[in-house]
Every structure is written in structure tokens, then in C-alpha cells.
């Protein structure tokens, strides 16, 4: 293969990232777009970089050392990266390579001024911009200076910030190469950045232009505040003109210099409105060519725009695909289901196939389209009421969209719609505990039939069977009696809170009345792990062994039996896993490892329980809760009877208290049923995946997680798989972790953030939603991974979100703060069950509260104070 060291920009297209890096490929592609002016130049290719790296074998040793360094070990990264840079800059450029570069310069004018710019192969990609990670040099004059700055660009692949960025992104340093773009320098009147979508809100229909005088370096480096223009549909809709005191200009002999701007010009706009609109039109042409929103660097020379860079905006949350051009409003499913992490394709498609409402995917998350129920007055009121009770931030975000008046079309009443439970009042149901017993039995019978019937199925027959099983899954979920039981408990809770506040002036009275409610499978799961701790606690050898168990020690249960008391300990854990082993963090994603698959997850929680509790704690706690609820009931009823018309009020309240205690525990059961089915599906699919591995169709069985259910069906039928598709899905899934899913998203791409409209909160307090009454003060434990729990008595758990898998931790804490959650989500329900003051929906709680700080949680009023 003949190495090619130099390519003209006109010879390059967007598919040559491996040869000319992300920036070079984009510039080559830009120069092909009609009507887009790109300064001429050439690329020094990655072949040249490889040649230079081969000149210094010592770099290999340092790259080996670097690969073993943790991303947060800044000192080691700083030292190693500096050594690599010094080595690269010290390598003499071979004569033939230097000659190729100087020939390219001679063709364009040896003594002309050039911009010399780094262009890495992992840069300006659709999923990672790497913006600013490597170096750019402006106004470089003469062949000697250009060659020197090409060397500096090669070395800049190993700046401390670039190395750290790759370490955090899991990108192998050896897989990244550096090309260098050498372009004729332009000397602009003004320069800046154009975002073809609003980088703050994500709105794809609003373009933002930042502009300043002179070279764009003044803006990029933060030397000046730019003029900011916002453009929508060919019109400047907002602008802020800054006082631009300084600019960066080119020097005649090379290099750049900061200069002061004449005071009379400082507040002049860098661009006219007409120029801004014309620039945005160019941006829309570039965006259409690349197929997505762009971050574009531009220069204005003699009223003519030159484009010097365009890269994808990688921070925007994607928009769900739609088969029409209408406006749509989407609500996040993850915020309702307490799982805002991205899901793999199999997890997404399985949830879509088994959910009760159509769901749309974007950024590895699921959304429900609520446009129709928002469009008609009756269904809108019901939707906003139910959502507002659960999560005021979602309600406020929806109201923000509605208040604009022109986004959601007005329709005649469309009837119930939107997320499950967003319709009107449910049909009445008898206050009979036997209903819950019957519903649980129905679910158990259905799951037992699934387990029995799936055992004999393999190959295409298994996938066909599962398609039918999903219909049974939905039938059980949509059982009218089940929906009535859930709504009966929720509506009785709302009734009690509303009426007891009105009659007695008491906030959230239902929180105490629901303590230790029967039939709550999630709270029982937390208490059952206390019983497991009771079995383990008397055996010091078992406790010591468990303290040494690591995350990877998945065979630890077999080793337990060799210890004194180990057989009883193993049997207790196994029995727990038989009942609850299908659960895990993020359990709505079938691809997440279940406790039965990774039982080491439970070990830290078991050890906390052994350390922090006395024997018999589970039974005592449940009984204490039941007695508190009983005492609260007697207190409320006696106070009501003392009121005017008190007997009627007390009778109504008694009926609702009985209703809450009959049905509120069942609220958790359907999710338990769903997850139980998911584990059966997953075991069967992984067995099928193992057969695909044995047949040489797949390299590893977990690759099926990156296929949708239908794609997996096709693979099983054809015994063929597209390896490139799986790799693309893995890359996309990795990139989705950097995205923050919005509670509400529009088809314009706007992430709408709701706010708490409250003024009854002390200054400096963090506002959230009150979901479990009481006030508690203690040490904040910021825990982002259940497996890293290390709790002491009196601790308050602060985390992003909790799903049922977190409930074993709830027995050992005194309060709860989460970033995501609503009044009837699982964390809130279990906090009330255990009597823990809780505030959920606290924006960025895990960043604003530091681990170990003392905080006070106001669970009745919905705010958190950080104490000195």
C-alpha cells in the first residue's frame, strides 16, 4: 500500500475520517456543498502521523502505562501525556514527508498565512464532538513554521484534556489517529459560531448566532461576550448586543494579538440582521447536507461568509420519529417508571411490545405522545390533574407548552388518552380484601403457566410463542379489576389528603395511615432481607466471608456451604432470590442483570442489615407501623367527630381509610408481575442466544441485547446477523449515557423543563415534591449504585431515582431525597410504607448535596435544607 501524506480538501469527502480525521472529513464535505465558501487548503493524513509514531518506539510503553491509569488520576495523566507530547514534538519530520507538505504549500503560496488545525479520527463524530480537545494555530507563515505547528498538532492528540476525555469515554488511545488541516488564513471583519438548533433548549427550529469582531478566537477563548441572535423561520426573533471591548487580530509576521476595540464601536452589532438571516440560511443548507443540527464556525470577509468548520451538535436530545409533520408533545416514560438511564434495543422493544400505551423511542429512552389528550379541553383537564398529582414538574412543563397557544392544535374532545391512568374517574369497586387476594392468585397462575409452557420452546417457535405471551402479558396488565384496585387505593389517598387538610388543617395525613399496609410486595421485599440478616448474624465466619466478597465473585453462594452456618446462610439467600431474584436496578430494561444473575449486588445491603439491626427487626418494624397507622386512624376519627357534622365526616373518612389499607399495597404488585414475566422471557432468550453462539452466528450471547425483538426473531429464523449493526448499536448506547432525558419533549426538539411555582420555602432550600410526611435531620449518603451502599443508622439516602430494587435499603435509612419521582412512584409508596420523610423530584440533588453533609428533609412541605 502506497502511503499518501497529503490530500487537497477538494479530494476529500465525509467518508474519509480514518484518513483525514473528523475535522478534515467535514471540511472536505463542506467544500462540496454548492454555495458554501470554504477557505482552500489540504490535509496531512493519518499515514503521516503513523509514520511519526513509528519513529519513537518508547511511546508504546507510555501508552501501555496510560491505558492502566484511572480517568480521575489527574497527576499520572498529566505526567504521561506531557512525556508523550515532548517525544512527538522532538521527532524530526522525515525528508520525504516534509517535502510532500512543502510542495503543497508551494502550490498555494509558501509565504501566505495559514491556519494549522488538528483533526483527530475520534473528533466531530455524530456521538462525540471532542470539541477543543486538540490544538489549532492561526496565522502561521512560512514552511518552517507550518512544519513546526504540524508537529505540535500531532502532539496535541495527547493533551491532558484530550487523554482524560478519551479515558472517560472508554476510547482506546491506540485507536485514535491525528491528521492536520492546513488552510489559507482568512482575515475577517467578524467571526463566530452558528448553532442550527438552540443549544440550550434543543429547539431545532431556532438557530443561535454568536458573533464578535475580528477572529473567532476571542469568542472561543472567552475573551469577550458575543452578540447573540436567535432566528426562527427567517426572522431575527431575539438579540442581545454585547459591549465587545477586545478582539483578536492577525499580525503581519505571523501569530495573533489581542487588540482593544475603539469605544465608539464596542456596542455596534458585529452583524446586521440581514447578515444574520443570510448566515442561518447557509447553516440550514449545511444542516440538510449532513442530516442533523450543526455547530458551525464562520468568518465574514467583505460581506461574504466563509465556513471554517461544521460539526454535529452532540448534546441535543434526539427527537422521536414521527410519520407526519404535525406538532407532537412527548412525556418521558422513564420519569414515571423510575429509570431514566438509557435502555438497550431489546429492552426498549420488549417494553414497547408489552406496554399498555404506544411508546416512542429517542436517545435510548421511551416517551408517550400526549398531543391528542392535550388538544381537547376535557381530556386535557384529566391528564393535567393526574400528572400534576404525580409530578408537578411534568405538569408545569406541559402547561408551558399549552400557554404558547400555537403549538398544540385545538381539537374536539377526544375522550380519555395519554399515559395509563390519565383517563377519568374509575368505576366503583367493593371494599373487599378478597379482591386483592384474587388478583394476586390470577397473576401467579398466569406466570406459572408461562414458566411451564416456555420450557419446550426453542428456535423460531420460541419467538412465536413469546409474541403470543406478550398478548397474555397485556391482558393481565389491562384486567379491569386490577386497574380499579390500583385507582381505588390512589383515589382514596388523594381524598384523605384533600379532605383532612380541609377539615383538620393537616397535610399529607394519608402518609401515616398507609404505614405497614398489607399485600405490598415491595415493602415485604425490604423486610425479608432483614430476616436473611437474622440467619447470617450469629455466624461470624459467614459474616467475615461475605465482607470479602467482590462484585465479580458470582460463585460465592457455593463456597458458603463450606463454612460453619454457611448452609443456613446460603439457603436463606437462595430462598430470597427464589422470591425476589427477578428484580434489579432499572428492571424495566430486560437486559439489566437480575439479582438471581448477580447476587453479589445484595451482599452490601445484607451486611448493613447485620451491622445495623437487632434480631427480629422485620416483624417489629411492620408491627410498629401498623400500630402507628391504627393510632393515627383513631386520632383522626375522634377529631372529626368533634366537628360540625362530625359523624358524617368521620364515617366517610373511615370508609376511605379502610379503602386505602385494602388496596394501596396492591399498587406495587402489577410491576412485580411484569418483572417476574420478564425474567422468564430473558432466561429463554439467553438460552436461545447461547445456541446462536454455539452455531457461530453470534460472538457472545449478550449481543442479542443490541437487537430489537423483531430483529432477533429474524436472526433466529435466518441464522445470520449483521455484525456492523450490533457494533453501531453498542456505540450509540454508549453515547446515550451522556444525554439527560427531558421530562417533556416536543417534536421541535425542545426539552421543556418545568418549575415548582412556590414561594413558601426558605432561601437556599432545595425544592421538591413532598411524598412522605415528617421532618428528619441526618447525614446525607449520596449513593448512585446500590452495590456501593454503606449505611449507618440515621443516614438519609440521596440518589437519582429509586425503583423497587432499592427498597431493601429503605429499612436502614431515616429519610429519602431523589432527583426523579412522583407521588405514586415506587420510592414514594415505600417511603410512606416505612414512615420515612421523603422529598422527590429535587433537581440535581446528587450534585447539590455532598456525600456526608448534614441535611434536613421536610417531607410534609417538600424541601431539603443543607445544614452548616
Amino acid at each position: 500500500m502506497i502511503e499518501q501524506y497529503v490530500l487537497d480538501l477538494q479530494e476529500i469527502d465525509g467518508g474519509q475520517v480514518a484518513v483525514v480525521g473528523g475535522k478534515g472529513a467535514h471540511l472536505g464535505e463542506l467544500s462540496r456543498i454548492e454555495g458554501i465558501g470554504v477557505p482552500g487548503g489540504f490535509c496531512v493524513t493519518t499515514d503521516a502521523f503513523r509514520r511519526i509514531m513509528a519513529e519513537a518506539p518508547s511511546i508504546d510503553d507510555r501508552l501501555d502505562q496510560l491505558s492502566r491509569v484511572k480517568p480521575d488520576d489527574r497527576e499520572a495523566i498529566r505526567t504521561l501525556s506531557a512525556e508523550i507530547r515532548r517525544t512527538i514534538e522532538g521527532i524530526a519530520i522525515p525528508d520525504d514527508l516534509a517535502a510532500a507538505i512543502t510542495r503543497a504549500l508551494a502550490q498555494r503560496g509558501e509565504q501566505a498565512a495559514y491556519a494549522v488545525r488538528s483533526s483527530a479520527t475520534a473528533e466531530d463524530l455524530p456521538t462525540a464532538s471532542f470539541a477543543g480537545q486538540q490544538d489549532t494555530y492561526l496565522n502561521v507563515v512560512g514552511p518552517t513554521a507550518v512544519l513546526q505547528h504540524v508537529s505540535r498538532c500531532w502532539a496535541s492528540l495527547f493533551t491532558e484534556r484530550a487523554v482524560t476525555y478519551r479515558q472517560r469515554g472508554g476510547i482506546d488511545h491506540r485507536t485514535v489517529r491525528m491528521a492536520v488541516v492546513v488552510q489559507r488564513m482568512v482575515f475577517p471583519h467578524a467571526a463566530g459560531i452558528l448553532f442550527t438548533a438552540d443549544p440550550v433548549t434543543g429547539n431545532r427550529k431556532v438557530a443561535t448566532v454568536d458573533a464578535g469582531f475580528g477572529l473567532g478566537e476571542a469568542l472561543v477563548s472567552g475573551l469577550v461576550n458575543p452578540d447573540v441572535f436567535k432566528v426562527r423561520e427567517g426572522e431575527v426573533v431575539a438579540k442581545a448586543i454585547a459591549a465587545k471591548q477586545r478582539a483578536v487580530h492577525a499580525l503581519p509576521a505571523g501569530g495573533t494579538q489581542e487588540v482593544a476595540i475603539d469605544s465608539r464601536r464596542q456596542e455596534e452589532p458585529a452583524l446586521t440582521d440581514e447578515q444574520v438571516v443570510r448566515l442561518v440560511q447557509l447553516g440550514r443548507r449545511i444542516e440538510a447536507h449532513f442530516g442533523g443540527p450543526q455547530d458551525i464556525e464562520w468568518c465574514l470577509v467583505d460581506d461574504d461568509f466563509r465556513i471554517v468548520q461544521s460539526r454535529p451538535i452532540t448534546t441535543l436530545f434526539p427527537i422521536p420519529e414521527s410519520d407526519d409533520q404535525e406538532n407532537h408533545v412527548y412525556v418521558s416514560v422513564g420519569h414515571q417508571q423510575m429509570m431514566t438511564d438509557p435502555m438497550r434495543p431489546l429492552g426498549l422493544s420488549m417494553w414497547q411490545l408489552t406496554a399498555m400505551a404506544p411508546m416512542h423511542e429517542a436517545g435510548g429512552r421511551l416517551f408517550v405522545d400526549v398531543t391528542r389528550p392535550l388538544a381537547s379541553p376535557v381530556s386535557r383537564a384529566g391528564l393535567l390533574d393526574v400528572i400534576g398529582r404525580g409530578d408537578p414538574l411534568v405538569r408545569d412543563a406541559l402547561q408551558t407548552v399549552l400557554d404558547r397557544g400555537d403549538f398544540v392544535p385545538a381539537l374536539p374532545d377526544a375522550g380519555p388518552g395519554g399515559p395509563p391512568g390519565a383517563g377519568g374517574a374509575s368505576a366503583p369497586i367493593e371494599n373487599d380484601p378478597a379482591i386483592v387476594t384474587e388478583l394476586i392468585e390470577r397473576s401467579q397462575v398466569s406466570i406459572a403457566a408461562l414458566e411451564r409452557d416456555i420450557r419446550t420452546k426453542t428456535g423460531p417457535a420460541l419467538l412465536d410463542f413469546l409474541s403470543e405471551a406478550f398478548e397474555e402479558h397485556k391482558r393481565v396488565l389491562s384486567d379491569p379489576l386490577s386497574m380499579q384496585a390500583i385507582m381505588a387505593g390512589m383515589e382514596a389517598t388523594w381524598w384523605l389528603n384533600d379532605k383532612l387538610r380541609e377539615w383538620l388543617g393537616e397535610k399529607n395525613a394519608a402518609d401515616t395511615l398507609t404505614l405497614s399496609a398489607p399485600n405490598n410486595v415491595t415493602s415485604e421485599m425490604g423486610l425479608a432481607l432483614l430476616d436473611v440478616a437474622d440467619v447470617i448474624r450469629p455466624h461470624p465466619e459467614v459474616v467475615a466471608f461475605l465482607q470479602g466478597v467482590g462484585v465479580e465473585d458470582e460463585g460465592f453462594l457455593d463456597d458458603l456451604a463450606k463454612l460453619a452456618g454457611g448452609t443456613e446462610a446460603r439457603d436463606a439467600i437462595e430462598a430470597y432470590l427464589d422470591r425476589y431474584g427477578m428484580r434489579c436496578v432499572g428492571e424495566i430494561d430486560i437486559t439489566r442483570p437480575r439479582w438471581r444473575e448477580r447476587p453479589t449486588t445484595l451482599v452490601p445491603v445484607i451486611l448493613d442489615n447485620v451491622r445495623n439491626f437487632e434480631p427480629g427487626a422485620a416483624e417489629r418494624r411492620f408491627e410498629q407501623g401498623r400500630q402507628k397507622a391504627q393510632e393515627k386512624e383513631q386520632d383522626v376519627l375522634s377529631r372529626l367527630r368533634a366537628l360540625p357534622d362530625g359523624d358524617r365526616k368521620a364515617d366517610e373518612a373511615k370508609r376511605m381509610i379502610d379503602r386505602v389499607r385494602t388496596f394501596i399495597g396492591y399498587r406495587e404488585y402489577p410491576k412485580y408481575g411484569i418483572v417476574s414475566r420478564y425474567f422468564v422471557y430473558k432466561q429463554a432468550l439467553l438460552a436461545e442466544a447461547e445456541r446462536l453462539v454455539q452455531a457461530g452466528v453470534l460472538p457472545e450471547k449478550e449481543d442479542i441485547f443490541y437487537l430489537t425483538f423483531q430483529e432477533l426473531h429474524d436472526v433466529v429464523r435466518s441464522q445470520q446477523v449483521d455484525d456492523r449493526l450490533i457494533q453501531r448499536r453498542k456505540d450509540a448506547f454508549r453515547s446515550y449515557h451522556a444525554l439527560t432525558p427531558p421530562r417533556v419533549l416536543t417534536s421541535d426538539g425542545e426539552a421543556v423543563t418545568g418549575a415548582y411555582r412556590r414561594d413558601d420555602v426558605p432561601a437556599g432550600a432545595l425544592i421538591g415534591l413532598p411524598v412522605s410526611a415528617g421532618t428528619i435531620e441526618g447525614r446525607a449518603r449520596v449513593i448512585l449504585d446500590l452495590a456501593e451502599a454503606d449505611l449507618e443508622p440515621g443516614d438519609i439516602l440521596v440518589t437519582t431515582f429509586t425503583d423497587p430494587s432499592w427498597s431493601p435499603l429503605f429499612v436502614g435509612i431515616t429519610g429519602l431525597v431523589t432527583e426523579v419521582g412522583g407521588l405514586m412512584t415506587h420510592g414514594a409508596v415505600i417511603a410512606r410504607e416505612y414512615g420515612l420523610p421523603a422529598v422527590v423530584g429535587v433537581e440535581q440533588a446528587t450534585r447539590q448535596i455532598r456525600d456526608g453533609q448534614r441535611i434536613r428533609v421536610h417531607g410534609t412541605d417538600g424541601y431539603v435544607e443543607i445544614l452548616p
Side-chain angles (χ1 to χ4, degrees), residues 69-322:
V69 171
K70 290 190 168 63
D72 53 1
D73 189 346
R74 296 182 62 179
E75 191 54 46
I77 290 173
R78 184 180 297 121
T79 303
L80 283 166
S81 58
E83 288 173 6
I84 295 170
R85 285 198 308 279
R86 276 197 301 274
T87 303
I88 293 172
E89 287 190 41
I91 296 169
I93 298 178
D95 291 346
D96 58 333
L97 174 49
I101 296 170
T102 51
R103 265 197 310 275
L105 287 170
Q107 291 166 12
R108 293 165 178 80
E110 272 192 359
Q111 294 308 311
Y114 291 90
V116 182
R117 313 169 72 193
S118 307
S119 179
T121 54
E123 179 179 37
D124 297 347
L125 306 179
T127 55
S129 76
F130 285 74
Q133 300 306 312
Q134 286 93 30
D135 291 347
T136 285
Y137 301 96
L138 300 177
N139 200 31
V140 180
V141 179
T144 304
V146 169
L147 289 170
Q148 181 186 19
H149 286 87
V150 167
S151 280
R152 287 181 180 173
C153 283
W154 286 328
S156 77
L157 188 64
F158 297 97
T159 62
E160 184 185 341
R161 62 184 181 275
V163 167
T164 303
Y165 195 97
R166 290 196 295 271
Q167 300 269 81
R168 291 192 189 286
I171 295 169
D172 183 350
H173 301 294
R174 293 175 190 279
T175 64
V176 185
R177 303 270 187 268
M178 180 66 84
V180 182
V181 175
V182 181
Q183 268 180 298
R184 280 295 291 260
M185 189 71 190
V186 292
F187 302 99
H189 158 74
I193 299 170
L194 158 64
F195 297 98
T196 64
D198 189 315
V200 177
T201 68
N203 194 323
R204 308 311 200 259
K205 290 189 176 174
V206 175
T208 302
V209 175
D210 289 4
F213 293 124
L215 294 168
E217 203 63 17
L219 266 60
V220 174
S221 64
L223 182 65
V224 298
N225 290 325
D227 296 341
V228 180
F229 302 84
K230 291 194 181 294
V231 177
R232 185 182 182 111
E233 295 171 353
E235 184 184 345
V236 176
V237 293
K239 60 181 167 182
I241 307 304
K244 300 170 289 295
Q245 296 176 343
R246 306 190 72 70
V248 174
H249 285 175
L251 292 169
T256 61
Q257 179 182 31
E258 284 181 32
V259 297
I261 295 175
D262 187 302
S263 59
R264 289 166 296 185
R265 289 186 60 223
Q266 286 178 6
E267 297 196 25
E268 281 180 17
L271 296 178
T272 66
D273 284 10
E274 180 275 327
Q275 287 171 329
V276 169
V277 170
R278 182 152 44 95
L279 174 61
V280 170
Q281 286 169 345
L282 293 175
R284 292 290 179 220
R285 195 178 298 177
I286 294 168
E287 178 182 65
H289 182 86
F290 286 113
Q294 298 289 300
D295 164 356
I296 297 166
E297 295 175 27
W298 56 269
C299 298
L300 182 68
V301 184
D302 299 329
D303 198 37
D304 187 22
F305 285 105
R306 308 286 174 84
I307 305 301
V308 294
Q309 182 54 297
S310 183
R311 61 173 72 89
I313 307 176
T314 57
T315 55
L316 299 176
F317 200 86
I319 306 170
E321 286 184 15
S322 171

Side-chain angles (χ1 to χ4, degrees), residues 465-483:
F465 171 82
L466 283 172
S467 296
E468 294 171 18
F470 297 161
E471 295 309 308
E472 166 66 3
H473 181 125
K474 289 197 280 190
R475 189 195 65 74
V476 172
L477 263 189
S478 61
D479 182 339
L481 190 63
S482 178
M483 299 298 288

